Coordinates of all heavy atoms in Angstrom, one line a residue:
Chain B
L6 N 0.8 -68.9 37.7 CA -0.1 -69.8 38.5 C 0.9 -70.7 39.3 O 2.0 -71.1 38.9 CB -1.0 -70.6 37.7 CG -2.1 -69.9 37.0 CD1 -2.9 -70.7 36.0 CD2 -3.1 -69.3 38.0
S30 N -1.7 -53.3 38.1 CA -3.0 -53.9 37.7 C -4.1 -53.5 38.7 O -3.9 -53.6 39.9 CB -2.8 -55.4 37.6 OG -2.0 -55.8 36.5
I34 N -9.6 -60.8 36.3 CA -10.8 -61.6 35.8 C -10.4 -63.1 35.8 O -9.2 -63.4 35.5 CB -11.2 -61.3 34.3 CG1 -11.3 -59.8 34.2 CG2 -12.4 -62.1 33.9 CD1 -11.4 -59.3 32.8
S40 N -12.1 -77.4 26.4 CA -11.2 -77.9 25.3 C -11.8 -77.5 23.9 O -13.0 -77.7 23.6 CB -11.1 -79.4 25.3 OG -10.3 -79.9 24.3
Q45 N -14.4 -68.3 28.7 CA -15.7 -67.9 29.2 C -15.5 -67.1 30.5 O -14.9 -67.6 31.4 CB -16.5 -69.1 29.4 CG -18.0 -68.9 30.0 CD -18.6 -70.2 30.3 OE1 -18.2 -71.3 30.0 NE2 -19.7 -70.1 31.0
Q60 N -22.1 -67.1 41.8 CA -22.8 -68.4 42.0 C -21.8 -69.5 42.1 O -21.2 -69.9 41.1 CB -23.8 -68.6 40.8 CG -24.7 -69.8 41.0 CD -25.7 -70.0 39.9 OE1 -25.6 -69.4 38.9 NE2 -26.7 -70.9 40.1
V62 N -18.9 -69.6 43.0 CA -17.6 -69.1 42.8 C -17.3 -67.8 43.7 O -18.1 -67.1 43.9 CB -17.2 -68.8 41.4 CG1 -17.2 -70.1 40.5 CG2 -18.1 -67.8 40.8
T63 N -16.1 -67.8 44.2 CA -15.6 -66.7 45.0 C -14.2 -66.4 44.6 O -13.4 -67.3 44.4 CB -15.6 -67.1 46.5 OG1 -16.9 -67.4 46.9 CG2 -15.1 -65.9 47.3
K68 N -3.8 -58.0 47.7 CA -2.8 -57.1 47.0 C -1.5 -57.0 47.7 O -0.5 -56.7 47.1 CB -3.5 -55.7 47.0 CG -4.7 -55.6 46.2 CD -5.3 -54.3 46.1 CE -5.9 -53.8 47.4 NZ -7.1 -54.7 47.7
H72 N -1.7 -61.8 45.1 CA -2.2 -63.1 44.9 C -3.8 -63.1 44.7 O -4.5 -62.4 45.3 CB -1.9 -63.9 46.2 CG -2.3 -65.4 46.0 ND1 -3.5 -65.9 46.5 CD2 -1.6 -66.5 45.6 CE1 -3.6 -67.1 46.3 NE2 -2.4 -67.6 45.7
A78 N -17.2 -73.9 44.8 CA -17.9 -74.7 45.8 C -18.6 -75.8 45.1 O -19.1 -75.8 43.9 CB -18.9 -73.9 46.5
G83 N -18.9 -80.8 35.2 CA -19.0 -79.7 34.2 C -18.0 -78.6 34.5 O -17.8 -77.8 33.6
P94 N -3.7 -54.0 33.6 CA -2.9 -52.9 34.3 C -3.4 -51.5 34.0 O -3.4 -51.1 32.9 CB -1.5 -53.2 33.9 CG -1.7 -53.8 32.5 CD -2.9 -54.6 32.4
N97 N -4.9 -49.4 30.6 CA -4.7 -50.3 29.4 C -5.7 -51.5 29.4 O -5.7 -52.2 30.3 CB -3.3 -50.9 29.5 CG -2.9 -51.6 28.3 OD1 -3.8 -52.1 27.6 ND2 -1.7 -51.9 28.1
L107 N -5.3 -76.7 34.9 CA -6.3 -77.7 34.4 C -7.0 -78.3 35.6 O -6.3 -79.0 36.5 CB -5.5 -78.8 33.6 CG -6.4 -80.0 33.2 CD1 -7.6 -79.5 32.3 CD2 -5.5 -81.0 32.5
N111 N -13.3 -85.5 39.4 CA -13.5 -87.1 39.3 C -14.9 -87.4 39.9 O -15.2 -86.9 41.0 CB -12.4 -87.7 40.1 CG -11.0 -87.4 39.5 OD1 -10.8 -87.5 38.3 ND2 -10.1 -87.0 40.4
P112 N -15.7 -88.2 39.1 CA -17.0 -88.6 39.6 C -17.0 -89.4 40.9 O -15.9 -90.1 41.2 CB -17.7 -89.2 38.4 CG -16.5 -89.7 37.7 CD -15.4 -88.8 37.9

Side-chain angles (χ1 to χ4, degrees):
Chain B
L6 290 171
S30 295
I34 309 168
S40 181
Q45 176 186 355
Q60 187 176 9
V62 294
T63 301
K68 295 181 289 294
H72 185 267
N97 183 341
L107 172 62
N111 302 309

